[in-house]
């Protein structure tokens, strides 16, 4: 019985250490974005044309974000219509906490990069450090 208890304790401690390592890694990743530049997209701009407002902010992030200086695009909470899909790029977080996006017609709502055709130059893991927070599509 004592041998069984020792085995259970060892397995439990191993699992706890593995979970702790994962939680620490996740916290470190969050810390990497803690100092990110934030581009806020207002509810008024989103109501006037969510696809224009969000894509403009994502394009601004594309031009400013680097691995050492990521950019977060944060949309105001609410429900908005998209006329077309959005494009997100490297080193960008799209924070849609409390946001619902609806697509007026069939098609992708969010894609990574501009073009993934054979002549685009995008191969393998072309885009990096992209995060999505919240949101309902």
């Amino acid at each position: 019985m004592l041998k069984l208890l020792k085995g259970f304790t060892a397995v439990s401690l191993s699992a706890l250490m593995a979970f702790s390592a994962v939680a620490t890694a996740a916290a470190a990743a969050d810390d990497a974005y803690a100092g990110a530049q934030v581009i806020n997209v207002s509810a008024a701009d989103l109501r006037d044309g969510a696809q224009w407002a969000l894509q403009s902010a994502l394009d601004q992030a594309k031009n400013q974000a680097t691995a050492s200086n990521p950019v977060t695009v944060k949309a105001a909470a609410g429900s908005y219509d998209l006329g077309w899909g959005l494009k997100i790029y490297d080193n960008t977080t799209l924070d849609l906490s409390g946001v619902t996006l609806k697509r007026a017609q069939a098609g992708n709502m969010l894609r990574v990069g501009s073009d993934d055709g054979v002549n685009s130059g995008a191969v393998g893991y072309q885009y990096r450090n992209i995060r999505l927070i919240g949101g309902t599509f």
Side-chain angles (χ1 to χ4, degrees):
M1 181 69 165
L2 184 58
K3 191 173 185 178
L4 180 65
L5 184 59
K6 284 182 181 179
F8 177 75
T9 302
V11 169
S12 297
L13 284 174
S14 294
L16 180 61
M17 289 171 50
F19 176 75
S20 178
V22 169
T24 301
D30 285 342
D31 288 345
Y33 284 86
Q37 173 189 347
V38 177
I39 300 170
N40 289 300
V41 184
S42 72
D45 287 341
L46 290 164
R47 279 191 300 273
D48 288 343
Q51 69 274 2
W52 292 104
L54 286 170
Q55 192 59 59
S56 176
L58 290 168
D59 289 344
Q60 182 180 347
K62 172 188 173 186
N63 295 327
Q64 295 176 357
T66 64
S68 60
N69 294 303
V71 173
T72 296
V73 173
K74 179 157 181 49
S79 182
Y80 309 103
D81 295 325
L82 288 178
W84 60 77
L86 302 171
K87 299 170 188 164
I88 190 169
Y89 303 92
D90 291 325
N91 307 307
T92 302
T93 297
L94 179 57
D95 186 346
L96 297 172
S97 300
V99 174
T100 298
L101 295 174
K102 298 175 189 172
R103 180 84 191 256
Q105 54 196 351
N108 293 328
M109 293 182 75
L110 180 67
R111 69 179 298 140
V112 175
S114 296
D115 181 14
D116 57 3
V118 294
N119 297 319
S120 71
V123 294
Y125 295 102
Q126 177 73 24
Y127 301 98
R128 293 177 170 80
N129 304 324
I130 296 171
R131 295 178 9 148
L132 301 174
I133 300 172
T136 300
F137 291 82

PDB file of all heavy atoms in Angstrom, residues 56-79:
ATOM      1  N   SER A  56      -8.618  48.703 -41.346  1.00  0.00           N
ATOM      2  CA  SER A  56      -7.718  49.857 -41.274  1.00  0.00           C
ATOM      3  C   SER A  56      -6.781  49.717 -40.075  1.00  0.00           C
ATOM      4  O   SER A  56      -5.570  49.961 -40.183  1.00  0.00           O
ATOM      5  CB  SER A  56      -8.530  51.144 -41.178  1.00  0.00           C
ATOM      6  OG  SER A  56      -7.679  52.250 -41.013  1.00  0.00           O
ATOM      7  N   ALA A  57      -7.329  49.326 -38.933  1.00  0.00           N
ATOM      8  CA  ALA A  57      -6.510  49.134 -37.733  1.00  0.00           C
ATOM      9  C   ALA A  57      -5.545  47.963 -37.907  1.00  0.00           C
ATOM     10  O   ALA A  57      -4.381  48.040 -37.502  1.00  0.00           O
ATOM     11  CB  ALA A  57      -7.409  48.914 -36.517  1.00  0.00           C
ATOM     12  N   LEU A  58      -6.007  46.866 -38.529  1.00  0.00           N
ATOM     13  CA  LEU A  58      -5.133  45.717 -38.772  1.00  0.00           C
ATOM     14  C   LEU A  58      -4.016  46.071 -39.759  1.00  0.00           C
ATOM     15  O   LEU A  58      -2.880  45.604 -39.616  1.00  0.00           O
ATOM     16  CB  LEU A  58      -5.947  44.519 -39.273  1.00  0.00           C
ATOM     17  CG  LEU A  58      -6.858  43.869 -38.234  1.00  0.00           C
ATOM     18  CD1 LEU A  58      -7.834  42.902 -38.907  1.00  0.00           C
ATOM     19  CD2 LEU A  58      -6.035  43.169 -37.157  1.00  0.00           C
ATOM     20  N   ASP A  59      -4.317  46.898 -40.743  1.00  0.00           N
ATOM     21  CA  ASP A  59      -3.296  47.348 -41.692  1.00  0.00           C
ATOM     22  C   ASP A  59      -2.268  48.248 -41.000  1.00  0.00           C
ATOM     23  O   ASP A  59      -1.067  48.169 -41.266  1.00  0.00           O
ATOM     24  CB  ASP A  59      -3.920  48.081 -42.876  1.00  0.00           C
ATOM     25  CG  ASP A  59      -4.678  47.153 -43.809  1.00  0.00           C
ATOM     26  OD1 ASP A  59      -4.497  45.911 -43.731  1.00  0.00           O
ATOM     27  OD2 ASP A  59      -5.486  47.668 -44.610  1.00  0.00           O
ATOM     28  N   GLN A  60      -2.748  49.100 -40.101  1.00  0.00           N
ATOM     29  CA  GLN A  60      -1.841  49.947 -39.331  1.00  0.00           C
ATOM     30  C   GLN A  60      -0.923  49.065 -38.473  1.00  0.00           C
ATOM     31  O   GLN A  60       0.281  49.302 -38.408  1.00  0.00           O
ATOM     32  CB  GLN A  60      -2.640  50.907 -38.448  1.00  0.00           C
ATOM     33  CG  GLN A  60      -1.781  51.867 -37.651  1.00  0.00           C
ATOM     34  CD  GLN A  60      -2.612  52.799 -36.773  1.00  0.00           C
ATOM     35  OE1 GLN A  60      -3.824  52.907 -36.919  1.00  0.00           O
ATOM     36  NE2 GLN A  60      -1.955  53.461 -35.856  1.00  0.00           N
ATOM     37  N   ALA A  61      -1.499  48.033 -37.859  1.00  0.00           N
ATOM     38  CA  ALA A  61      -0.700  47.100 -37.060  1.00  0.00           C
ATOM     39  C   ALA A  61       0.328  46.395 -37.940  1.00  0.00           C
ATOM     40  O   ALA A  61       1.487  46.216 -37.545  1.00  0.00           O
ATOM     41  CB  ALA A  61      -1.610  46.083 -36.371  1.00  0.00           C
ATOM     42  N   LYS A  62      -0.076  46.005 -39.129  1.00  0.00           N
ATOM     43  CA  LYS A  62       0.838  45.331 -40.070  1.00  0.00           C
ATOM     44  C   LYS A  62       2.069  46.191 -40.329  1.00  0.00           C
ATOM     45  O   LYS A  62       3.190  45.694 -40.390  1.00  0.00           O
ATOM     46  CB  LYS A  62       0.105  45.055 -41.388  1.00  0.00           C
ATOM     47  CG  LYS A  62       0.985  44.531 -42.497  1.00  0.00           C
ATOM     48  CD  LYS A  62       0.219  44.465 -43.808  1.00  0.00           C
ATOM     49  CE  LYS A  62       1.117  44.097 -44.962  1.00  0.00           C
ATOM     50  NZ  LYS A  62       0.434  44.174 -46.244  1.00  0.00           N
ATOM     51  N   ASN A  63       1.865  47.486 -40.481  1.00  0.00           N
ATOM     52  CA  ASN A  63       2.959  48.399 -40.813  1.00  0.00           C
ATOM     53  C   ASN A  63       3.813  48.797 -39.611  1.00  0.00           C
ATOM     54  O   ASN A  63       4.925  49.289 -39.797  1.00  0.00           O
ATOM     55  CB  ASN A  63       2.402  49.653 -41.488  1.00  0.00           C
ATOM     56  CG  ASN A  63       1.777  49.337 -42.829  1.00  0.00           C
ATOM     57  OD1 ASN A  63       2.228  48.446 -43.541  1.00  0.00           O
ATOM     58  ND2 ASN A  63       0.719  50.051 -43.162  1.00  0.00           N
ATOM     59  N   GLN A  64       3.308  48.585 -38.392  1.00  0.00           N
ATOM     60  CA  GLN A  64       4.031  49.031 -37.203  1.00  0.00           C
ATOM     61  C   GLN A  64       4.561  47.898 -36.335  1.00  0.00           C
ATOM     62  O   GLN A  64       5.525  48.087 -35.609  1.00  0.00           O
ATOM     63  CB  GLN A  64       3.125  49.928 -36.352  1.00  0.00           C
ATOM     64  CG  GLN A  64       2.750  51.212 -37.040  1.00  0.00           C
ATOM     65  CD  GLN A  64       1.769  52.045 -36.222  1.00  0.00           C
ATOM     66  OE1 GLN A  64       1.319  51.649 -35.163  1.00  0.00           O
ATOM     67  NE2 GLN A  64       1.440  53.219 -36.741  1.00  0.00           N
ATOM     68  N   ALA A  65       3.928  46.737 -36.380  1.00  0.00           N
ATOM     69  CA  ALA A  65       4.261  45.659 -35.448  1.00  0.00           C
ATOM     70  C   ALA A  65       5.571  44.967 -35.817  1.00  0.00           C
ATOM     71  O   ALA A  65       5.868  44.752 -36.987  1.00  0.00           O
ATOM     72  CB  ALA A  65       3.132  44.638 -35.415  1.00  0.00           C
ATOM     73  N   THR A  66       6.329  44.636 -34.786  1.00  0.00           N
ATOM     74  CA  THR A  66       7.527  43.815 -34.931  1.00  0.00           C
ATOM     75  C   THR A  66       7.496  42.771 -33.824  1.00  0.00           C
ATOM     76  O   THR A  66       6.675  42.857 -32.901  1.00  0.00           O
ATOM     77  CB  THR A  66       8.813  44.648 -34.799  1.00  0.00           C
ATOM     78  OG1 THR A  66       8.878  45.185 -33.462  1.00  0.00           O
ATOM     79  CG2 THR A  66       8.849  45.789 -35.810  1.00  0.00           C
ATOM     80  N   ALA A  67       8.400  41.805 -33.894  1.00  0.00           N
ATOM     81  CA  ALA A  67       8.446  40.775 -32.852  1.00  0.00           C
ATOM     82  C   ALA A  67       8.714  41.394 -31.484  1.00  0.00           C
ATOM     83  O   ALA A  67       8.172  40.954 -30.475  1.00  0.00           O
ATOM     84  CB  ALA A  67       9.499  39.729 -33.194  1.00  0.00           C
ATOM     85  N   SER A  68       9.537  42.428 -31.437  1.00  0.00           N
ATOM     86  CA  SER A  68       9.857  43.057 -30.151  1.00  0.00           C
ATOM     87  C   SER A  68       8.865  44.156 -29.771  1.00  0.00           C
ATOM     88  O   SER A  68       8.849  44.603 -28.628  1.00  0.00           O
ATOM     89  CB  SER A  68      11.277  43.619 -30.172  1.00  0.00           C
ATOM     90  OG  SER A  68      11.410  44.578 -31.192  1.00  0.00           O
ATOM     91  N   ASN A  69       8.043  44.593 -30.705  1.00  0.00           N
ATOM     92  CA  ASN A  69       7.027  45.619 -30.448  1.00  0.00           C
ATOM     93  C   ASN A  69       5.704  45.216 -31.097  1.00  0.00           C
ATOM     94  O   ASN A  69       5.304  45.779 -32.120  1.00  0.00           O
ATOM     95  CB  ASN A  69       7.480  46.977 -30.994  1.00  0.00           C
ATOM     96  CG  ASN A  69       8.674  47.508 -30.258  1.00  0.00           C
ATOM     97  OD1 ASN A  69       8.652  47.667 -29.052  1.00  0.00           O
ATOM     98  ND2 ASN A  69       9.748  47.754 -30.998  1.00  0.00           N
ATOM     99  N   PRO A  70       5.009  44.229 -30.495  1.00  0.00           N
ATOM    100  CA  PRO A  70       3.734  43.795 -31.068  1.00  0.00           C
ATOM    101  C   PRO A  70       2.666  44.871 -30.922  1.00  0.00           C
ATOM    102  O   PRO A  70       2.809  45.798 -30.129  1.00  0.00           O
ATOM    103  CB  PRO A  70       3.389  42.551 -30.245  1.00  0.00           C
ATOM    104  CG  PRO A  70       4.092  42.755 -28.950  1.00  0.00           C
ATOM    105  CD  PRO A  70       5.347  43.510 -29.274  1.00  0.00           C
ATOM    106  N   VAL A  71       1.610  44.726 -31.703  1.00  0.00           N
ATOM    107  CA  VAL A  71       0.496  45.681 -31.670  1.00  0.00           C
ATOM    108  C   VAL A  71      -0.795  44.923 -31.377  1.00  0.00           C
ATOM    109  O   VAL A  71      -1.014  43.834 -31.914  1.00  0.00           O
ATOM    110  CB  VAL A  71       0.372  46.438 -33.014  1.00  0.00           C
ATOM    111  CG1 VAL A  71      -0.875  47.312 -33.043  1.00  0.00           C
ATOM    112  CG2 VAL A  71       1.615  47.271 -33.269  1.00  0.00           C
ATOM    113  N   THR A  72      -1.629  45.498 -30.526  1.00  0.00           N
ATOM    114  CA  THR A  72      -2.941  44.940 -30.225  1.00  0.00           C
ATOM    115  C   THR A  72      -4.014  45.849 -30.826  1.00  0.00           C
ATOM    116  O   THR A  72      -3.991  47.058 -30.609  1.00  0.00           O
ATOM    117  CB  THR A  72      -3.171  44.830 -28.702  1.00  0.00           C
ATOM    118  OG1 THR A  72      -2.222  43.912 -28.160  1.00  0.00           O
ATOM    119  CG2 THR A  72      -4.578  44.341 -28.384  1.00  0.00           C
ATOM    120  N   VAL A  73      -4.917  45.247 -31.588  1.00  0.00           N
ATOM    121  CA  VAL A  73      -6.081  45.959 -32.116  1.00  0.00           C
ATOM    122  C   VAL A  73      -7.249  45.558 -31.230  1.00  0.00           C
ATOM    123  O   VAL A  73      -7.581  44.381 -31.135  1.00  0.00           O
ATOM    124  CB  VAL A  73      -6.349  45.590 -33.592  1.00  0.00           C
ATOM    125  CG1 VAL A  73      -7.660  46.198 -34.066  1.00  0.00           C
ATOM    126  CG2 VAL A  73      -5.192  46.042 -34.462  1.00  0.00           C
ATOM    127  N   LYS A  74      -7.843  46.536 -30.557  1.00  0.00           N
ATOM    128  CA  LYS A  74      -8.939  46.264 -29.615  1.00  0.00           C
ATOM    129  C   LYS A  74     -10.215  46.928 -30.116  1.00  0.00           C
ATOM    130  O   LYS A  74     -10.260  48.144 -30.295  1.00  0.00           O
ATOM    131  CB  LYS A  74      -8.599  46.774 -28.226  1.00  0.00           C
ATOM    132  CG  LYS A  74      -9.719  46.537 -27.230  1.00  0.00           C
ATOM    133  CD  LYS A  74      -9.214  46.508 -25.823  1.00  0.00           C
ATOM    134  CE  LYS A  74     -10.316  46.256 -24.818  1.00  0.00           C
ATOM    135  NZ  LYS A  74     -11.190  45.161 -25.102  1.00  0.00           N
ATOM    136  N   ALA A  75     -11.227  46.092 -30.348  1.00  0.00           N
ATOM    137  CA  ALA A  75     -12.521  46.588 -30.815  1.00  0.00           C
ATOM    138  C   ALA A  75     -13.466  46.811 -29.637  1.00  0.00           C
ATOM    139  O   ALA A  75     -13.461  46.032 -28.679  1.00  0.00           O
ATOM    140  CB  ALA A  75     -13.134  45.589 -31.791  1.00  0.00           C
ATOM    141  N   ALA A  76     -14.263  47.857 -29.723  1.00  0.00           N
ATOM    142  CA  ALA A  76     -15.266  48.130 -28.691  1.00  0.00           C
ATOM    143  C   ALA A  76     -16.318  47.021 -28.699  1.00  0.00           C
ATOM    144  O   ALA A  76     -16.699  46.514 -29.759  1.00  0.00           O
ATOM    145  CB  ALA A  76     -15.924  49.480 -28.956  1.00  0.00           C
ATOM    146  N   ALA A  77     -16.781  46.657 -27.524  1.00  0.00           N
ATOM    147  CA  ALA A  77     -17.791  45.596 -27.395  1.00  0.00           C
ATOM    148  C   ALA A  77     -19.061  45.978 -28.149  1.00  0.00           C
ATOM    149  O   ALA A  77     -19.427  47.146 -28.240  1.00  0.00           O
ATOM    150  CB  ALA A  77     -18.102  45.352 -25.921  1.00  0.00           C
ATOM    151  N   GLY A  78     -19.706  44.963 -28.731  1.00  0.00           N
ATOM    152  CA  GLY A  78     -20.941  45.175 -29.473  1.00  0.00           C
ATOM    153  C   GLY A  78     -21.095  44.141 -30.563  1.00  0.00           C
ATOM    154  O   GLY A  78     -20.264  43.239 -30.703  1.00  0.00           O
ATOM    155  N   SER A  79     -22.159  44.262 -31.327  1.00  0.00           N
ATOM    156  CA  SER A  79     -22.433  43.350 -32.440  1.00  0.00           C
ATOM    157  C   SER A  79     -22.348  44.141 -33.739  1.00  0.00           C
ATOM    158  O   SER A  79     -22.994  45.184 -33.877  1.00  0.00           O
ATOM    159  CB  SER A  79     -23.824  42.728 -32.285  1.00  0.00           C
ATOM    160  OG  SER A  79     -24.076  41.826 -33.324  1.00  0.00           O
TER     161      SER A  79
END
